[in-house]
Amino acid sequence: MKKSNIILKVTLFVIALIFTITISKIVPSDKFAPHKLILDSLWKKENDRLEYWIDINNDNIIEIIKHHNINISGHSIELIKDGKITQIYIFRDNEQFIGKSLKFADIDSNGTKELLFVSVKNNTAFLNILSYNTKIKAFYPVEKFLIDTIQRFKGSIDAENNFIITNSSDIYLDLQGGYSVQPRNIYKYNFKNKTLIKNDLNSFVNQKFQQFTYQKKNYLLATFSKATGNTISAIEAQTLRNSTNKDTIAIYEDIKHLEYAYGDFSSYILLYNDSLNFAFEPIEFFGWTNFTKATLITVNDTPYIAAFTNALMNEPEHQQCKLVTICNLQGKIIKQIPLPYNYTDIYSEKDKIIFYGEKTLFLTDNNINPIKVTKNITYAYGYADIENDNKPEFVAFINNMLIIYSADLEINATFKIEQEFSPYPEEFSFVTLQTDKVDALIFNSRLFYYKFIYQKNNIAFLKYPFFFTVLIMSFGILFIIFRINSKRLEKENLKLEQIVKQRTKEIASQKEKIQSQAKELEYKNDNLIELSEFKKLMTDTIIHDLKNPLN
């Protein structure tokens, strides 16, 4: 009996467990997520306009900056505050904007953010700095600093500003030439001392950088370096220059402006010091379709560089340069392994590294050992400190599903964006901020601007108690139903037993009656037999007695 009860309870528990798992599949995945992601507002994006949301003076009130008609008639920058529109800057006299985005940073440490951007007038590139006046609530120009002269290609400006990075009063920026190669330089302008320095001549194509400070020294790490093929090396230039052939010398005179110490047919790991000199000799990866992406990791409070090199073309000469590399700030390679997957991006948070490639996120430790793999990722943005708590979240998409992960790739919140199938944020468009003491994130895609509210889910802690309660309740209900059914069956069995007993009694009574009747019949039968025998005896006697007289 006890064994059957145990089997029964186990069976009921398994059924309750299956029911609980089914309920967990039905309940929306974000119901008990650690955070809620709520679409706050949505508005259409104009092709010739960019919008920025900035808390300029740290008063927890967001100002909107609109950059109109970029490089066409009516090109201007406007500030929208308290429902009023104020024109900040007008591009006149053929002045063109050559940056990828406007930059906002407090470079004079006065509690308000300055507006920085790079423009070109004629053949001269300028760094524009506008400061915010809290009294009149408007920007005004404070400096227009000449950076460098640029070249043109077929009459068009052949230079682009990819980044502006600030560190206190230091402003780092670049000018990347295109077909004309030059300038392809990095610059550091000190707003306080009004000094400008630039790196030595090279032809590196570096589109992204990361600035950091270690042991009171400033560094600039190239996080995206591409190989280029429109330069000649110093060795090639020397060979052409020393030739005795007139045609060869003529070729040299025609292309000598393309001679650079670095940058030809290779990608590199590049680290610049505060003087914009190399912190170590560039680590080269030969291959004219190579690109190198790097990031900074921290191990025991010591910074290291994690990088990988990949190639756009799978030709034999590129295979040997498909590597993952860890090196220190002196350029010493700590570890290097062949590229295990077709990585296209790399991200880091302290001592963890995330590689992205083939629609998969690969979380590894600082020794490139795999920790976790997350598949079906169609777009990875990277780390963003949405809550401003020094614990950055990781932002990614699965088609039109926006996913906010923790640093360890545990899902914090999800949201399905209905307006677009692939609403991925464009470069430099992802902004985190606070509105009314609520964390928010804003980004623009190809078609729309999205503003999301990101807040902790107050019922997230109920996830396991809820499903445990479902399990216990379902088990309890099943057990109660079984017990009720058992009681009903017991009553029916008792009733049947009573009926059987009654019928048994009736049958026994009938049996006794039948037996009594049988005995009575048997007795009568015996009497009849005896009577018959007596009758026969009497008849024989009478016949005998009558027979004698007759004789």
Side-chain angles (χ1 to χ4, degrees):
M1 186 67 179
K2 289 184 178 179
K3 186 176 180 180
S4 62
N5 283 337
I6 293 173
I7 294 172
L8 172 66
K9 289 178 180 178
V10 170
T11 303
L12 293 178
F13 182 81
V14 171
I15 295 172
L17 183 62
I18 294 172
F19 176 75
T20 304
I21 293 172
T22 304
I23 291 296
S24 69
K25 301 295 183 182
I26 297 173
V27 174
S29 59
D30 60 345
K31 190 68 176 179
F32 297 106
H35 289 75
K36 288 182 179 179
L37 195 59
I38 305 166
L39 182 61
D40 176 82
S41 52
L42 170 77
W43 59 104
K44 186 174 175 55
K45 178 183 175 184
E46 302 295 336
N47 293 331
D48 59 349
R49 184 177 71 189
L50 288 175
E51 296 186 17
Y52 302 85
W53 306 267
I54 306 294
D55 183 3
I56 297 171
N57 55 345
N58 298 315
D59 60 356
N60 289 324
I61 298 175
I62 304 302
E63 288 79 23
I64 300 176
I65 306 292
K66 292 188 177 182
H67 194 174
H68 287 278
N69 301 325
I70 300 175
N71 290 334
I72 59 177
S73 178
H75 185 187
S76 64
I77 302 173
E78 296 176 352
L79 165 66
I80 300 177
K81 185 175 178 64
D82 301 329
K84 298 179 180 179
I85 300 176
T86 305
Q87 205 161 51
I88 298 173
Y89 192 87
I90 301 174
F91 291 80
R92 294 191 175 98
D93 302 325
N94 297 320
E95 185 178 11
Q96 292 189 4
F97 174 74
I98 63 167
K100 289 191 173 180
S101 68
L102 301 178
K103 175 70 177 182
F104 299 86
D106 185 6
I107 59 175
D108 57 5
S109 302
N110 66 347
T112 62
K113 295 180 176 64
E114 281 68 47
L115 167 60
L116 301 90
F117 62 90
V118 178
S119 64
V120 169
K121 188 174 181 180
N122 298 323
N123 288 337
T124 305
F126 295 92
L127 172 63
N128 299 270
I129 303 174
L130 290 82
S131 185
Y132 183 76
N133 188 312
T134 55
K135 292 182 179 179
I136 63 174
K137 298 181 179 179
F139 281 95
Y140 62 94
V142 295
E143 196 155 352
K144 193 179 188 74
F145 194 86
L146 191 153
I147 303 172
D148 212 337
T149 57
I150 60 98
Q151 297 182 15
R152 291 177 178 265
F153 181 77
K154 294 183 178 180
S156 300
I157 296 171
D158 193 35
E160 185 177 35
N161 168 235
N162 291 287
F163 71 90
I164 298 177
I165 300 174
T166 62
N167 178 33
S168 187
S169 61
D170 288 330
I171 304 170
Y172 300 89
L173 65 142
D174 77 326
L175 287 174
Q176 292 285 332
Y179 293 98
S180 60
V181 180
Q182 203 275 332
R184 288 187 181 166
N185 287 116
I186 304 168
Y187 306 82
K188 187 184 79 169
Y189 176 66
N190 185 277
F191 179 72
K192 185 177 181 180
N193 301 326
K194 313 301 179 187
T195 57
L196 178 74
I197 61 173
K198 69 177 181 179
N199 66 317
D200 294 332
L201 189 65
N202 63 60
S203 184
F204 291 126
V205 180
N206 301 317
Q207 295 184 333
K208 295 181 181 179
F209 279 83
Q210 179 182 1
Q211 192 278 331
F212 67 95
T213 301
Y214 178 62
Q215 294 182 344
K216 298 182 179 180
K217 295 180 180 179
N218 295 321
Y219 295 92
L220 201 62
L221 172 65
T223 56
F224 184 19
S225 175
K226 294 196 300 184
T228 177
N230 58 351
T231 63
I232 59 172
S233 66
I235 296 175
E236 289 174 311
Q238 184 179 3
T239 302
L240 295 173
R241 185 169 53 246
N242 295 337
S243 176
T244 57
N245 186 288
K246 292 182 179 180
D247 293 335
T248 303
I249 294 175
I251 292 173
Y252 170 73
E253 290 296 326
D254 189 45
I255 64 172
K256 64 181 181 180
H257 66 285
L258 302 179
E259 178 187 347
Y260 293 90
Y262 298 95
D264 57 312
F265 298 100
S266 296
S267 62
Y268 298 83
I269 295 178
L270 300 171
L271 182 66
Y272 296 90
N273 59 26
D274 201 37
S275 301
L276 298 187
N277 296 318
F278 293 127
F280 55 78
E281 187 69 15
I283 300 174
E284 182 178 11
F285 303 96
F286 176 78
W288 66 276
T289 67
N290 280 354
F291 66 90
T292 299
K293 291 195 175 183
T295 187
L296 194 72
I297 61 172
T298 304
V299 182
N300 298 325
D301 297 324
T302 302
Y304 293 86
I305 298 170
F308 75 89
T309 305
N310 206 340
L312 299 177
M313 296 178 65
N314 292 320
E315 295 182 359
E317 62 268 24
H318 298 306
Q319 299 302 317
Q320 59 183 347
C321 291
K322 290 188 171 186
L323 300 168
V324 178
T325 304
I326 305 291
C327 70
N328 61 19
L329 301 190
Q330 292 74 46
K332 180 182 178 182
I333 295 177
I334 308 300
K335 185 173 183 178
Q336 194 170 63
I337 62 172
L339 196 70
Y341 295 94
N342 188 29
Y343 296 147
T344 54
D345 274 299
I346 182 173
Y347 312 92
S348 66
E349 168 54 23
K350 295 181 180 178
D351 61 343
K352 291 185 176 63
I353 307 170
I354 292 181
F355 293 97
Y356 176 66
E358 299 178 343
K359 294 186 177 183
T360 305
L361 294 173
F362 303 87
L363 177 64
T364 68
D365 60 18
N366 58 71
N367 206 27
I368 325 179
N369 296 317
I371 299 175
K372 188 174 183 179
V373 175
T374 303
K375 297 184 177 181
N376 301 319
I377 303 297
T378 50
Y379 178 86
Y381 174 81
Y383 285 104
D385 192 358
I386 302 174
E387 293 183 288
N388 197 28
D389 57 357
N390 293 319
K391 296 178 181 178
E393 290 78 14
F394 192 88
V395 182
F397 287 79
I398 298 178
N399 295 326
N400 64 332
M401 181 72 73
L402 171 60
I403 305 176
I404 308 296
Y405 292 96
S406 68
D408 295 327
L409 291 185
E410 297 293 332
I411 294 179
N412 279 356
T414 62
F415 189 90
K416 187 175 183 180
I417 300 176
E418 302 291 349
Q419 289 74 19
E420 295 180 79
F421 181 74
S422 54
Y424 309 146
E426 294 189 344
E427 193 175 12
F428 303 110
S429 72
F430 197 94
V431 178
T432 62
L433 44 83
Q434 275 200 340
T435 57
D436 300 325
K437 297 182 180 181
V438 176
D439 297 307
L441 56 98
I442 300 176
F443 69 87
N444 65 281
S445 67
R446 295 175 297 110
L447 303 177
F448 296 98
Y449 289 96
Y450 298 92
K451 180 182 176 185
F452 286 91
I453 300 298
Y454 184 74
Q455 55 190 198
K456 289 184 178 179
N457 187 357
N458 294 327
I459 65 170
F461 73 96
L462 294 175
K463 178 179 180 179
Y464 294 108
F466 171 78
F467 288 115
F468 181 75
T469 303
V470 171
L471 177 63
I472 297 302
M473 287 184 64
S474 56
F475 175 77
I477 291 170
L478 288 172
F479 187 77
I480 289 170
I481 291 172
F482 176 79
R483 292 296 298 173
I484 292 172
N485 192 52
S486 297
K487 292 290 185 183
R488 182 180 61 82
L489 290 175
E490 286 177 4
K491 288 182 179 179
E492 290 182 357
N493 286 337
L494 287 174
K495 190 176 180 180
L496 287 173
E497 286 178 2
Q498 290 176 353
I499 292 172
V500 169
K501 287 180 179 179
Q502 183 65 28
R503 292 289 176 87
T504 302
K505 287 181 179 180
E506 291 178 358
I507 292 171
S509 176
Q510 290 176 355
K511 182 179 179 182
E512 289 177 0
K513 188 176 181 180
I514 291 170
Q515 287 178 345
S516 175
Q517 290 176 348
K519 286 181 180 180
E520 185 178 351
L521 289 173
E522 185 179 355
Y523 176 74
K524 288 181 179 182
N525 186 51
D526 290 341
N527 289 336
L528 288 172
I529 292 172
E530 289 178 359
L531 183 61
S532 177
E533 289 178 353
F534 177 75
K535 182 181 177 181
K536 184 179 179 183
L537 179 63
M538 287 298 296
T539 302
D540 291 339
T541 302
I542 291 171
I543 292 172
H544 182 270
D545 290 341
L546 289 175
K547 188 177 180 182
N548 287 330
L550 290 173
N551 289 328

